[in-house]
Amino acid sequence: MKNSILYITVVAFATLLLASCEKEIEFKGEQTDPKLVVNCVCTVGEPVVAQLSKSYFFLDPDGNTEAPDATKVQLYVNDNYVGEMIRFEDSLWGKAGGDVLRSPQIKLFRNDYCPKTGDRIKITASASGYDAVEACTSPMPEPAGCVISDFVLTGEPTFESWYDDDGCQSFHYIYKADVMLDVSDPNPGQTDYFVLNVAVEWQGEHQWNANVWAEYSDPVFGNGGPVLGELSENSNRNHSFTDLLFDGKTYKVKVPVNLNLYGYSASDSVSPVLSMRVEHLTKEYYNYLTTVSLQGDEVVGAFAEPVHVFSNVQDGYGIVGGTNVSKAEYLLPLEKPQP
Amino acid sequence: MRFYSTCRVFILLGLFFVSLAVSAQRRTISGYVMDAESKETLIGATVVDERSGKGCVSNSYGFYTLTLNPGDVNLQVSYVGYSQQQHSFTLTSDTTLSVSLSTNIQLNEVVVEASRGTVSARSSQMSVVELPVQQIKSIPTLFGEADVLKAIQLLPGVQNGSEGSAGMYVRGGGPDENLLLLDGVPVYNVNHMLGFFSVFNPDALKNVTLYKGSFPARFGGRLSSVVDIRMKEGDMRKYHGNVSIGLISSKLNLEGPVIKDKLSFNVSFRRSYSDLLMKPALWIARMQDPEVGRLKAGYYFYDLNAKINWKISDKDRLYLSFYSGDDGIYFNRKFKEKSNSHYESSSTEKLRWRWGNKVTALRWNRVLSQKLFMDASANYTQYRHNLGMSMIESYKDFQDNTALNNEFSMAYRSGIHDLTGKVDFDYMPVPNHEIRFGGNYTYHRFRPDVQSLKITSDNLQNHSFDTVAGSPSVSAHETALYAEDNMTLGEIFQVNAGLHYSTFTVENRFYHSLQPRLSLSAMLASNMSIKAGYAYMNQYVHLLSNSSLSLPTDLWVPVTAKIEPMKAHQVSLGCFYEIPEWLDVSVEGYYKAMDNLLEYKDGASFFGSSEHWDEKVCMGKGKAYGVELLLQRSFGRTTGWIGYTWAHAKRKFDREGQTINEGKEFPAKYDRRHDVSITVQHKFSERFDLSGTWVFSTGNCGTLGLQYYEGLAGGNYTPTIAALERNNYRLGNYHRLDLSMNFHRKYKHATGTWNVSVYNTYNHNNPFLVFVDYYDKDGKETKVLKQASIFPIIPSVSYSYKF
């Protein structure tokens, strides 16, 4: 009898304990209206391309983000009207396997003006039923120094080849290498903002694909603390950093890269180039990148104020920022695999 | 010009006090009020001459002084929980009379009236609550850890932060707007374990008083509250001790005479033991997987309180108080691998993260005359936060005869050091004037954030990097002068009027402010009064925090050329009623306007930017108003209180380049409309007592993204972003019942107590956060809102042995 009472007590207590944690609740707040969304990163020397969409209510199951068809987008440089931005379709836009983007609901607008260092770019957008929106960048930055000072293979490259069901021959190269990258800060005494990207670009026929991972632990590039992360383009982990620890100096960072090159029916003219890109950012773009990478961090989300992703679009959402790209390239020592 | 006007005001006040001193031929009775057994002084004891109706209250060191006309005197001395004493004699000359009160053995037989001088209806002071330490210890708490700040959070006008945390939000203020004084010295970081416990060990404490408005002029430097905590001085006659073992920590308290009736000590130590409990788990992990290496890791906190009390003579006393407390996280891992004669590799990883306070006060009390009491002290307080990480890797190849060494170390340090010299005087020239005046000087040394980095690497090519960065250390000088007079005007009115003048010099910038303080009280009946108060407060230091939790990375920083001092004007009005022999009732309303409040800019963080911290924050305004009801019973077998608060707290950051929430007004995070707390303790017998706390409050404000949108598309990734409007959503109501039972067993020279506590007895799922969840309903994805809770029903048990 005593054992039964003890058993019932333990079960009742465990049930109470486990009944905690989470439950579904009814939303009792105000339902807000959608707004226009403008996203645009202006790059020095390249035409201005803006991405237009709209927001949706958070419990809306459809989550439609397509901007109205009659959305009007205009471009200003240094407060001078440059012209309307024209809607265009990118051939790769929204298509699986494309190189640029995956969301089919975002509309693209373009103006052929190519920003110069020091320009302030302003974009306005309006559509019936929505508040008109506008956003402006701070002056477009100058380029940062970016040099690959050394490239050392950290093991023998591996090579595989096989035939698929159609009889085509496929190849797979795997490289592991340490890349020493020298990054120079162009403005001593001033806060500068950067982001690092790694990619493989192709000279010759584009019959190869590549995946690049760079895993490193570096206090500067890890935003002040050692961060192990992948430098891949399908992640919201961007590697933005400031000149906090190398203001006005040249900083040498070791980036261990892991290269996967694969293709089929290889051409003799293929030669892959490792491209290390250091982008010098405007402050608003840096703010956006740092906050967007923090959003969704579970630890932050659970215990702290949710991260407000930086937006400089008045009466709407999004980011209009600028960047100046410096590129260091290294021709990978690829020998054509023998079938 | 304004500085000289201020000086003139102080000179006039001085002349006024001198004129009072020579105004009449009266006699003064003065002395200490003490516990009869331990000779520990009693703070806030009431001393009243029944014949004339004149009275006073013992000060923070138990000293009282009462000036009366010569003649027969019938002096009544009373203090809560003690038997009242009467002394009848003829007053012909200045008299020294120290009174020793005995504790009530049978609480229901002796009734103490007018026992709480500073907080009763008869006092001019309002917005003050005294919490007996014994009551704090009996309040049921999370994991059974008695906690001063959690007890204070149950009072009307005081909100807690997130569930379980020790953060305090007083009358709509922020967590850094509370001046927490341990023996008169500020303590900067008051939390252990991310704020789940406070640093104050109740075993070491004697008295806790909360001021939340209508501040006397002697206090300054914070906008919203002052918590005056006094440590026990130690029994002058007998040795005592107390050992407690709980789920989270264990405590040891010892006190006694070094020289009987001359010199006493009190020492308390508390330490958590989660790191010690982790050791077997780490050992098992290593046994199961040798690649784990030699691993040491854990979290701990400890407190050490010590106080020495030396009664040099009847006129002189010396106190030395010391507090040291730390939280620490450590991680050590050593790994070594050797492959016969081919190679040998080793790695060592270390993390040391420590933060905590050190507080020291050397205090000299001297009775300069029957009417004048001096308290002079030299104080030191320090908060420091050190984070250090290092990694050393080495690799030796015996075949190639090559070796590689890589070393990386990084440190992050922040902190604040204060050195203070202070002198306070209590002066009672005539019966109707109780004057306090004094001043202090503080040298502040702020080290907001220093990051250092050292890299030495043989890998690839020899390269090394060694740098230090962060905001530079800042020195600041703060001074304060004050004078206040507690005046009795006839039979009905009492006024406490004062001025607090403070200066702050930092980076060649001089800030100063003259802060008037006023409290008025009108006795409508012998047990009923109405009171009104006004206080202007300034604050020269800020706490920068990214999180609602108390993190060690939170930075204390001074005002700068860009960041001006925070300011608050507060008015309050209240009615106080004592139901004789039973209950005190008070109703208070307040309105507080705040300016230059600080918040981080959106997306800014304390770490990883070369910007000076004052570039990362913005300044704004706040306002708070509300009504508080308190019914409190502090003596008898049943004690406790019922508190209710109706409140609003708002913020607005709309200055150019410093907007938050697009410049629109938003509710403060802990803006709660209704807040109820009921705390009851009942002593059934000498062997058993029971206590319970029930709290109810409107839910916290939270930030919920009501609109979602697609971020900047790039590569193969398009982030989905929540558009956030600050504190736009209110969580569900919060309520909880905690119960605690004490079973006492008396031994020949000791008492053992088992404490059984249950937190959240009826296991209510209190909201901690809400989030959107997705599920499939009839083949269609549906979104729902979900609420998460963190603390279900939590029982705990502890044992203490008092000897």
Side-chain angles (χ1 to χ4, degrees), chain B residues 423-445:
Chain B
V423 62
D424 300 294
F425 297 93
D426 286 11
Y427 182 46
M428 199 158 176
V430 288
N432 296 333
H433 291 269
E434 187 184 347
I435 295 159
R436 292 173 187 230
F437 58 97
N440 59 69
Y441 163 79
T442 301
Y443 170 75
H444 296 279
R445 181 87 177 153

mmCIF file of all heavy atoms in Angstrom, chain B residues 423-445:
data_model
loop_
_atom_site.group_PDB
_atom_site.id
_atom_site.type_symbol
_atom_site.label_atom_id
_atom_site.label_comp_id
_atom_site.label_asym_id
_atom_site.label_seq_id
_atom_site.Cartn_x
_atom_site.Cartn_y
_atom_site.Cartn_z
ATOM 1 N N VAL B 423 31.811 61.549 5.113
ATOM 2 C CA VAL B 423 31.536 61.907 6.509
ATOM 3 C C VAL B 423 30.078 62.378 6.621
ATOM 4 O O VAL B 423 29.588 63.122 5.779
ATOM 5 C CB VAL B 423 32.535 62.969 7.040
ATOM 6 C CG1 VAL B 423 32.452 64.270 6.258
ATOM 7 C CG2 VAL B 423 32.340 63.210 8.520
ATOM 8 N N ASP B 424 29.401 61.855 7.626
ATOM 9 C CA ASP B 424 27.998 62.200 7.864
ATOM 10 C C ASP B 424 27.835 62.603 9.331
ATOM 11 O O ASP B 424 28.478 62.026 10.209
ATOM 12 C CB ASP B 424 27.087 60.994 7.586
ATOM 13 C CG ASP B 424 27.203 60.499 6.161
ATOM 14 O OD1 ASP B 424 26.821 61.241 5.256
ATOM 15 O OD2 ASP B 424 27.694 59.370 5.968
ATOM 16 N N PHE B 425 26.962 63.552 9.539
ATOM 17 C CA PHE B 425 26.678 64.001 10.906
ATOM 18 C C PHE B 425 25.182 63.937 11.174
ATOM 19 O O PHE B 425 24.370 64.287 10.299
ATOM 20 C CB PHE B 425 27.141 65.453 11.104
ATOM 21 C CG PHE B 425 28.624 65.628 10.958
ATOM 22 C CD1 PHE B 425 29.177 65.976 9.726
ATOM 23 C CD2 PHE B 425 29.467 65.434 12.046
ATOM 24 C CE1 PHE B 425 30.537 66.132 9.579
ATOM 25 C CE2 PHE B 425 30.839 65.590 11.891
ATOM 26 C CZ PHE B 425 31.381 65.940 10.678
ATOM 27 N N ASP B 426 24.851 63.506 12.393
ATOM 28 C CA ASP B 426 23.467 63.589 12.888
ATOM 29 C C ASP B 426 23.483 64.611 14.015
ATOM 30 O O ASP B 426 24.260 64.480 14.970
ATOM 31 C CB ASP B 426 23.009 62.245 13.459
ATOM 32 C CG ASP B 426 22.734 61.227 12.377
ATOM 33 O OD1 ASP B 426 23.091 61.483 11.218
ATOM 34 O OD2 ASP B 426 22.158 60.175 12.695
ATOM 35 N N TYR B 427 22.625 65.573 13.912
ATOM 36 C CA TYR B 427 22.651 66.673 14.860
ATOM 37 C C TYR B 427 21.227 66.982 15.295
ATOM 38 O O TYR B 427 20.339 67.167 14.453
ATOM 39 C CB TYR B 427 23.284 67.892 14.164
ATOM 40 C CG TYR B 427 23.436 69.129 15.013
ATOM 41 C CD1 TYR B 427 23.953 69.041 16.300
ATOM 42 C CD2 TYR B 427 23.091 70.377 14.519
ATOM 43 C CE1 TYR B 427 24.105 70.176 17.065
ATOM 44 C CE2 TYR B 427 23.246 71.521 15.279
ATOM 45 C CZ TYR B 427 23.752 71.420 16.558
ATOM 46 O OH TYR B 427 23.899 72.540 17.318
ATOM 47 N N MET B 428 21.006 66.984 16.615
ATOM 48 C CA MET B 428 19.675 67.259 17.115
ATOM 49 C C MET B 428 19.741 68.405 18.110
ATOM 50 O O MET B 428 19.812 68.204 19.308
ATOM 51 C CB MET B 428 19.109 66.026 17.791
ATOM 52 C CG MET B 428 17.604 66.082 17.909
ATOM 53 S SD MET B 428 16.913 64.474 18.106
ATOM 54 C CE MET B 428 15.205 64.917 18.339
ATOM 55 N N PRO B 429 19.763 69.645 17.617
ATOM 56 C CA PRO B 429 19.980 70.793 18.499
ATOM 57 C C PRO B 429 18.798 71.067 19.414
ATOM 58 O O PRO B 429 18.970 71.480 20.553
ATOM 59 C CB PRO B 429 20.178 71.951 17.522
ATOM 60 C CG PRO B 429 19.484 71.523 16.274
ATOM 61 C CD PRO B 429 19.577 70.045 16.219
ATOM 62 N N VAL B 430 17.613 70.873 18.912
ATOM 63 C CA VAL B 430 16.381 71.116 19.681
ATOM 64 C C VAL B 430 15.434 69.964 19.383
ATOM 65 O O VAL B 430 15.603 69.265 18.388
ATOM 66 C CB VAL B 430 15.734 72.470 19.282
ATOM 67 C CG1 VAL B 430 16.542 73.630 19.797
ATOM 68 C CG2 VAL B 430 15.556 72.563 17.782
ATOM 69 N N PRO B 431 14.441 69.752 20.224
ATOM 70 C CA PRO B 431 13.600 68.563 20.053
ATOM 71 C C PRO B 431 12.932 68.465 18.679
ATOM 72 O O PRO B 431 12.723 67.386 18.166
ATOM 73 C CB PRO B 431 12.542 68.716 21.141
ATOM 74 C CG PRO B 431 13.125 69.616 22.147
ATOM 75 C CD PRO B 431 14.044 70.533 21.417
ATOM 76 N N ASN B 432 12.600 69.566 18.093
ATOM 77 C CA ASN B 432 11.814 69.493 16.864
ATOM 78 C C ASN B 432 12.646 69.478 15.588
ATOM 79 O O ASN B 432 12.085 69.572 14.496
ATOM 80 C CB ASN B 432 10.822 70.659 16.809
ATOM 81 C CG ASN B 432 9.823 70.557 17.923
ATOM 82 O OD1 ASN B 432 9.546 69.455 18.405
ATOM 83 N ND2 ASN B 432 9.294 71.692 18.365
ATOM 84 N N HIS B 433 13.934 69.431 15.742
ATOM 85 C CA HIS B 433 14.792 69.413 14.552
ATOM 86 C C HIS B 433 15.793 68.275 14.631
ATOM 87 O O HIS B 433 16.536 68.167 15.600
ATOM 88 C CB HIS B 433 15.558 70.733 14.403
ATOM 89 C CG HIS B 433 14.668 71.876 14.050
ATOM 90 N ND1 HIS B 433 14.393 72.249 12.762
ATOM 91 C CD2 HIS B 433 13.947 72.711 14.845
ATOM 92 C CE1 HIS B 433 13.571 73.281 12.770
ATOM 93 N NE2 HIS B 433 13.274 73.575 14.022
ATOM 94 N N GLU B 434 15.760 67.442 13.619
ATOM 95 C CA GLU B 434 16.742 66.358 13.527
ATOM 96 C C GLU B 434 17.496 66.610 12.223
ATOM 97 O O GLU B 434 16.948 66.419 11.141
ATOM 98 C CB GLU B 434 16.013 65.019 13.502
ATOM 99 C CG GLU B 434 16.917 63.837 13.577
ATOM 100 C CD GLU B 434 16.153 62.524 13.455
ATOM 101 O OE1 GLU B 434 14.910 62.541 13.562
ATOM 102 O OE2 GLU B 434 16.808 61.504 13.201
ATOM 103 N N ILE B 435 18.728 67.059 12.358
ATOM 104 C CA ILE B 435 19.465 67.531 11.181
ATOM 105 C C ILE B 435 20.540 66.516 10.790
ATOM 106 O O ILE B 435 21.224 65.972 11.664
ATOM 107 C CB ILE B 435 20.108 68.899 11.483
ATOM 108 C CG1 ILE B 435 18.997 69.927 11.708
ATOM 109 C CG2 ILE B 435 21.014 69.350 10.342
ATOM 110 C CD1 ILE B 435 19.452 71.137 12.471
ATOM 111 N N ARG B 436 20.627 66.291 9.537
ATOM 112 C CA ARG B 436 21.721 65.451 9.024
ATOM 113 C C ARG B 436 22.453 66.239 7.953
ATOM 114 O O ARG B 436 21.801 66.875 7.121
ATOM 115 C CB ARG B 436 21.176 64.177 8.396
ATOM 116 C CG ARG B 436 20.548 63.229 9.395
ATOM 117 C CD ARG B 436 19.886 62.103 8.648
ATOM 118 N NE ARG B 436 19.142 61.267 9.550
ATOM 119 C CZ ARG B 436 19.235 59.948 9.604
ATOM 120 N NH1 ARG B 436 20.049 59.312 8.792
ATOM 121 N NH2 ARG B 436 18.509 59.251 10.440
ATOM 122 N N PHE B 437 23.731 66.181 7.980
ATOM 123 C CA PHE B 437 24.488 66.827 6.916
ATOM 124 C C PHE B 437 25.813 66.078 6.717
ATOM 125 O O PHE B 437 26.247 65.314 7.580
ATOM 126 C CB PHE B 437 24.737 68.317 7.219
ATOM 127 C CG PHE B 437 25.464 68.579 8.498
ATOM 128 C CD1 PHE B 437 26.835 68.786 8.509
ATOM 129 C CD2 PHE B 437 24.777 68.629 9.716
ATOM 130 C CE1 PHE B 437 27.512 69.023 9.696
ATOM 131 C CE2 PHE B 437 25.448 68.859 10.895
ATOM 132 C CZ PHE B 437 26.806 69.068 10.896
ATOM 133 N N GLY B 438 26.392 66.298 5.592
ATOM 134 C CA GLY B 438 27.642 65.593 5.324
ATOM 135 C C GLY B 438 28.064 65.738 3.879
ATOM 136 O O GLY B 438 27.491 66.525 3.110
ATOM 137 N N GLY B 439 29.072 64.982 3.540
ATOM 138 C CA GLY B 439 29.567 65.044 2.169
ATOM 139 C C GLY B 439 30.425 63.844 1.859
ATOM 140 O O GLY B 439 30.817 63.081 2.760
ATOM 141 N N ASN B 440 30.674 63.687 0.616
ATOM 142 C CA ASN B 440 31.557 62.585 0.231
ATOM 143 C C ASN B 440 32.254 62.900 -1.083
ATOM 144 O O ASN B 440 31.801 63.742 -1.863
ATOM 145 C CB ASN B 440 30.786 61.263 0.127
ATOM 146 C CG ASN B 440 29.665 61.313 -0.871
ATOM 147 O OD1 ASN B 440 29.916 61.388 -2.073
ATOM 148 N ND2 ASN B 440 28.420 61.297 -0.411
ATOM 149 N N TYR B 441 33.374 62.225 -1.265
ATOM 150 C CA TYR B 441 34.121 62.342 -2.512
ATOM 151 C C TYR B 441 34.425 60.937 -3.009
ATOM 152 O O TYR B 441 34.837 60.063 -2.233
ATOM 153 C CB TYR B 441 35.439 63.094 -2.298
ATOM 154 C CG TYR B 441 36.412 62.891 -3.433
ATOM 155 C CD1 TYR B 441 36.265 63.598 -4.630
ATOM 156 C CD2 TYR B 441 37.432 61.949 -3.343
ATOM 157 C CE1 TYR B 441 37.129 63.366 -5.696
ATOM 158 C CE2 TYR B 441 38.290 61.720 -4.403
ATOM 159 C CZ TYR B 441 38.128 62.435 -5.573
ATOM 160 O OH TYR B 441 38.963 62.199 -6.630
ATOM 161 N N THR B 442 34.200 60.717 -4.298
ATOM 162 C CA THR B 442 34.476 59.400 -4.877
ATOM 163 C C THR B 442 35.365 59.561 -6.105
ATOM 164 O O THR B 442 35.082 60.380 -6.982
ATOM 165 C CB THR B 442 33.168 58.696 -5.295
ATOM 166 O OG1 THR B 442 32.340 58.558 -4.147
ATOM 167 C CG2 THR B 442 33.446 57.313 -5.871
ATOM 168 N N TYR B 443 36.416 58.756 -6.100
ATOM 169 C CA TYR B 443 37.256 58.666 -7.299
ATOM 170 C C TYR B 443 36.831 57.399 -8.046
ATOM 171 O O TYR B 443 36.911 56.294 -7.509
ATOM 172 C CB TYR B 443 38.732 58.586 -6.895
ATOM 173 C CG TYR B 443 39.643 58.245 -8.055
ATOM 174 C CD1 TYR B 443 39.937 59.203 -9.024
ATOM 175 C CD2 TYR B 443 40.195 56.978 -8.188
ATOM 176 C CE1 TYR B 443 40.759 58.897 -10.089
ATOM 177 C CE2 TYR B 443 41.020 56.661 -9.257
ATOM 178 C CZ TYR B 443 41.297 57.630 -10.207
ATOM 179 O OH TYR B 443 42.095 57.309 -11.270
ATOM 180 N N HIS B 444 36.322 57.584 -9.254
ATOM 181 C CA HIS B 444 35.890 56.441 -10.061
ATOM 182 C C HIS B 444 36.960 56.130 -11.099
ATOM 183 O O HIS B 444 37.533 57.037 -11.698
ATOM 184 C CB HIS B 444 34.632 56.766 -10.879
ATOM 185 C CG HIS B 444 33.411 57.063 -10.075
ATOM 186 N ND1 HIS B 444 32.619 56.094 -9.533
ATOM 187 C CD2 HIS B 444 32.810 58.238 -9.765
ATOM 188 C CE1 HIS B 444 31.596 56.649 -8.915
ATOM 189 N NE2 HIS B 444 31.678 57.960 -9.038
ATOM 190 N N ARG B 445 37.170 54.855 -11.311
ATOM 191 C CA ARG B 445 38.026 54.440 -12.423
ATOM 192 C C ARG B 445 37.218 53.419 -13.234
ATOM 193 O O ARG B 445 36.932 52.325 -12.748
ATOM 194 C CB ARG B 445 39.301 53.791 -11.877
ATOM 195 C CG ARG B 445 40.258 53.355 -12.962
ATOM 196 C CD ARG B 445 41.171 54.484 -13.349
ATOM 197 N NE ARG B 445 42.149 54.071 -14.331
ATOM 198 C CZ ARG B 445 42.710 54.895 -15.198
ATOM 199 N NH1 ARG B 445 42.377 56.176 -15.201
ATOM 200 N NH2 ARG B 445 43.597 54.471 -16.059
#
